[in-house]
Amino acid sequence: MNKSRLNNYFHSLFPIPEEIVKRITAPFCHFTLDKNLTLIEKNTISTKTYFLEEGYMRSYILNEENEEITTNIYVAPCFVNDFLSFFKKQPTKVIYQTITDCSFWETSLENVQKNFHTIPEFREFSRLLFVINYSKLNDRLIEMASQKAETRYLNLLKEQPLVIQHFPLKIIASYLGITDSTLSRIRKEISKI
Amino acid sequence: MNKSRLNNYFHSLFPIPEEIVKRITAPFCHFTLDKNLTLIEKNTISTKTYFLEEGYMRSYILNEENEEITTNIYVAPCFVNDFLSFFKKQPTKVIYQTITDCSFWETSLENVQKNFHTIPEFREFSRLLFVINYSKLNDRLIEMASQKAETRYLNLLKEQPLVIQHFPLKIIASYLGITDSTLSRIRKEISKI
DNA sequence: AGGATCACTTGATAAATGTCAAGAAATTAA
DNA sequence: TTAATTTCTTGACATTTATCAAGTGATCCT
């Protein structure tokens, strides 16, 4: 299996010497999942971290009425990880599911820990990954608090045009915090212009 | 100056030997700020990390209409840090402001970096701080996307009862993503019950 | 103390979004 | 291919929240 996309991802975030990236990614294992399957189940402790090499995913929770609320969407290439479960060894509250057929590279918490404590570049990389994820979440929160649904949809369209093609309307709607009827109307409204 | 509250904070998150905490906090400097003052200005690069020992703060941005949108509130004891600016050496988009008189402990990025790469317990602590902050943000986002304003206010009341006493209504409203009129009406509605 | 500013409340009305239900279109399964 | 299921759209109507404007009370300033 060719690890070039995995290796490139490390380089793209942070300048790391080639041989160190190879050392980091050596223990990663490849696997695939068909669409509409669960990568991480609810109430399990996630002991692996995943690199989504190809495909589309989402994470979601079930609210009191057992409705699915999409909490995040993932477009390859990116890491997919339940931070809370992985680092605090707690059961996940969130379900991670493939939307399309996906291919992954996975590695264990033990390996992450080993790298974190022995490879300075890996620590910097991990922290940067956190900073970026935190910052994206923060931007989404600000948007949610201050923009109306149509604006949020238009932003998503601009930032992640592929999402609209690969995710069903219902999932995009709940990701944006609106109902599917409303999103359908927003689309109609936009298409007029 | 007594560092016990700063030191205790390290212990409270993660079991760390006393002497290591002392080594970590040794270079922290104490200072105070009166209320309604700016801790981190917009468009500056934040090169310090702050521990809020006592008092209340918020972070906010200005939107296109130059209205203040409160992005986060801080209740001592906690760390206050613009992750994006601090770790990526970028100008902040966010303003950090005291709400009440506050007392802080500060340290430099260089010191954080030194500790991060030389003290394993400090790395674990830092990462845990990230995980916790990320997770809180995630919970807020889910709430914002799926609960109505009254529910969000009642949750805040339950989770952070002191916030309601120390922050003006306007700031709480924008933190909850609503206008001050609406929050005033929500309060009236709740008081009826 | 007195005027200025700020924080909060309230009313009338408008805009944004949700709910429920039905039907059309697309996809999946047998 | 047909039937079943899911996805998307749309209408009628309800609820939530925003907007604007005015008024009251509190606080700050010199």
Side-chain angles (χ1 to χ4, degrees):
Chain A
M1 262 298 156
N2 182 344
K3 284 186 183 169
S4 62
R5 272 182 282 197
L6 174 58
N7 291 348
N8 283 340
Y9 189 77
F10 279 87
H11 292 301
S12 72
L13 274 201
F14 188 72
I16 314 186
E18 182 67 27
E19 64 276 17
I20 294 189
V21 170
K22 282 197 176 142
R23 216 170 101 210
I24 292 169
T25 63
F28 277 67
C29 299
H30 189 267
F31 69 100
T32 60
L33 262 190
D34 287 347
K35 69 171 171 174
N36 294 327
L37 293 178
T38 298
L39 176 69
I40 308 176
E41 287 190 57
K42 200 182 159 183
N43 288 330
T44 55
I45 295 174
S46 168
T47 59
K48 306 232 178 253
T49 197
Y50 303 95
F51 176 74
L52 178 61
E53 179 182 55
E54 188 139 35
Y56 297 87
M57 294 194 65
R58 68 153 174 163
S59 54
Y60 68 98
I61 56 164
L62 298 168
N63 68 5
E64 314 78 50
E65 287 85 32
N66 245 40
E67 295 156 344
E68 297 179 359
I69 297 175
T70 297
T71 54
N72 217 341
I73 56 185
Y74 299 91
V75 177
C78 64
F79 275 94
V80 176
N81 194 332
D82 191 300
F83 293 132
L84 200 58
S85 176
F86 188 69
F87 289 116
K88 293 193 78 179
K89 298 182 182 173
Q90 291 178 357
T92 56
K93 289 181 265 176
V94 179
I95 300 153
Y96 293 78
Q97 180 195 46
T98 58
I99 299 296
T100 62
D101 293 355
C102 287
S103 75
F104 298 92
W105 293 93
E106 69 166 33
T107 193
S108 66
L109 176 56
E110 295 83 59
N111 191 46
V112 169
Q113 283 299 74
K114 204 186 88 201
N115 289 337
F116 188 67
H117 288 297
T118 58
I119 306 179
E121 291 86 350
F122 181 79
R123 314 196 246 284
E124 290 285 344
F125 172 82
S126 315
R127 194 172 56 186
L128 200 53
L129 212 55
F130 258 116
V131 169
I132 291 169
N133 276 294
Y134 183 88
S135 166
K136 277 189 192 166
L137 207 56
N138 206 30
D139 289 349
R140 261 184 77 203
L141 184 61
I142 293 169
E143 199 182 47
M144 200 70 90
S146 65
Q147 310 286 162
K148 62 178 196 164
E150 184 175 322
T151 313
R152 302 203 297 274
Y153 179 71
L154 286 170
N155 282 350
L156 181 63
L157 209 59
K158 202 173 70 184
E159 304 294 332
Q160 297 275 7
L162 296 171
V163 163
I164 277 76
Q165 296 167 36
H166 290 95
F167 288 72
L169 174 138
K170 196 170 59 167
I171 288 178
I172 298 171
S174 90
Y175 176 72
L176 293 172
I178 56 179
T179 59
D180 38 357
S181 325
T182 298
L183 181 50
S184 184
R185 289 189 176 105
I186 287 172
R187 283 187 169 173
K188 192 181 171 190
E189 204 55 38
I190 288 168
S191 68
K192 279 187 197 163
I193 307 166
Chain B
M1 263 301 155
N2 182 345
K3 284 187 183 169
S4 62
R5 273 182 282 196
L6 173 58
N7 290 348
N8 283 341
Y9 189 78
F10 280 88
H11 292 300
S12 72
L13 274 199
F14 188 71
I16 314 185
E18 182 67 25
E19 64 277 16
I20 294 189
V21 170
K22 283 198 176 143
R23 216 169 101 211
I24 292 169
T25 63
F28 277 67
C29 298
H30 189 266
F31 69 100
T32 59
L33 263 190
D34 287 347
K35 69 171 170 174
N36 294 325
L37 292 178
T38 299
L39 176 69
I40 307 175
E41 287 189 58
K42 199 182 162 184
N43 288 328
T44 56
I45 294 173
S46 168
T47 59
K48 306 238 178 248
T49 196
Y50 303 94
F51 176 73
L52 178 61
E53 179 182 54
E54 187 139 35
Y56 297 87
M57 294 193 65
R58 67 152 174 165
S59 55
Y60 68 97
I61 56 164
L62 296 168
N63 69 4
E64 313 80 48
E65 286 85 31
N66 245 40
E67 295 156 342
E68 297 179 358
I69 297 174
T70 297
T71 54
N72 217 341
I73 55 184
Y74 300 90
V75 176
C78 64
F79 274 93
V80 176
N81 194 332
D82 190 301
F83 293 133
L84 199 58
S85 177
F86 188 70
F87 289 116
K88 293 194 78 182
K89 297 181 183 174
Q90 291 179 356
T92 55
K93 290 181 262 175
V94 179
I95 301 152
Y96 294 76
Q97 180 195 47
T98 57
I99 299 296
T100 62
D101 293 355
C102 289
S103 75
F104 299 91
W105 293 94
E106 69 166 35
T107 192
S108 66
L109 176 57
E110 295 82 58
N111 190 46
V112 168
Q113 283 300 73
K114 205 188 87 201
N115 289 338
F116 187 68
H117 288 297
T118 58
I119 306 179
E121 291 87 351
F122 180 79
R123 313 196 246 283
E124 291 285 345
F125 172 83
S126 316
R127 194 171 56 186
L128 199 54
L129 211 55
F130 259 117
V131 169
I132 291 169
N133 275 294
Y134 183 88
S135 166
K136 277 188 193 168
L137 208 56
N138 207 31
D139 290 347
R140 262 184 76 201
L141 184 60
I142 294 170
E143 198 182 47
M144 199 71 91
S146 64
Q147 310 287 161
K148 63 179 194 162
E150 184 175 321
T151 313
R152 301 204 297 275
Y153 179 71
L154 287 170
N155 283 350
L156 181 63
L157 209 57
K158 201 171 69 183
E159 304 294 332
Q160 296 274 8
L162 295 172
V163 163
I164 277 77
Q165 295 167 36
H166 290 95
F167 288 71
L169 175 138
K170 196 171 59 170
I171 288 178
I172 298 171
S174 90
Y175 176 72
L176 292 172
I178 57 180
T179 59
D180 39 357
S181 326
T182 299
L183 181 50
S184 184
R185 289 189 176 104
I186 287 173
R187 283 187 169 173
K188 191 182 170 188
E189 204 54 41
I190 288 168
S191 68
K192 280 188 198 164
I193 306 163

